[in-house]
Amino acid sequence: MASTSASRIVPASPDKVWNLIGGFDALPDWLPYIPESTPLEGGRVRRLTNPDGEVIIERLVDFNETEHHYSYAILQAPFPVNGYVSTIRVHAVPGRDDVAEVQWSGRFNPDNATEDEAVDLFTGIYRDGLEALHKALSA
């Protein structure tokens, strides 16, 4: 199983960051790659659409409001992996209440791709997503 992660300090308190990203259906609020999200099964599943019209279906597998993190599994996507589970976490930065660290990590099995190709794909998605989050919080 392969894994990767990215993290970024963003210009907002952990609570403010979590208020923006902590909703499982909130990706369109901060991630340009996902302009549309439809909640299904009472909000435990999300049907995402990317700008090319491709569909990604994900299931929430863990959620912790107090500790500011959630994990999800991809059920269907145009990505060359299977067994994908990812976690988004918001951490406090010691001694600072005006910034937070956001970590996005995932593990998966490459499928019709090399491990390096799959790792590079998700490292880029996480890095670009966290950059978009930084921009959204800086506006």
Side-chain angles (χ1 to χ4, degrees):
M1 182 164 275
S3 65
T4 188
S5 67
S7 64
R8 177 81 195 254
I9 301 294
V10 295
S13 70
D15 286 340
K16 182 176 180 180
V17 175
W18 185 248
N19 285 339
L20 176 60
I21 73 171
F24 189 55
D25 197 40
L27 288 179
D29 296 340
W30 61 275
L31 188 61
Y33 179 70
I34 302 295
E36 184 180 330
S37 178
T38 304
L40 306 169
E41 296 184 25
R44 302 286 297 173
V45 172
R46 60 187 178 194
R47 182 185 188 277
L48 309 171
T49 305
N50 71 17
D52 296 330
E54 295 172 314
V55 172
I56 303 162
I57 299 176
E58 300 173 337
R59 176 176 297 282
L60 185 66
V61 295
D62 184 46
F63 183 86
N64 190 310
E65 179 77 27
T66 305
E67 295 181 10
H68 295 162
H69 66 82
Y70 71 81
S71 299
Y72 61 94
I74 290 180
L75 305 179
Q76 172 190 328
F79 304 131
V81 298
N82 61 55
Y84 177 99
V85 177
S86 182
T87 300
I88 294 180
R89 295 180 182 277
V90 179
H91 299 282
V93 175
R96 302 281 304 267
D97 58 8
D98 60 331
V99 298
E101 180 183 11
V102 180
Q103 181 184 43
W104 197 349
S105 61
R107 62 185 192 279
F108 41 83
N109 297 307
D111 188 2
N112 293 319
T114 68
E115 183 171 317
D116 286 346
E117 290 168 336
V119 166
D120 288 349
L121 171 68
F122 286 104
T123 301
I125 289 171
Y126 300 163
R127 185 183 55 243
D128 293 350
L130 294 176
E131 178 63 25
L133 175 61
H134 187 276
K135 287 180 183 174
L137 291 165
S138 297

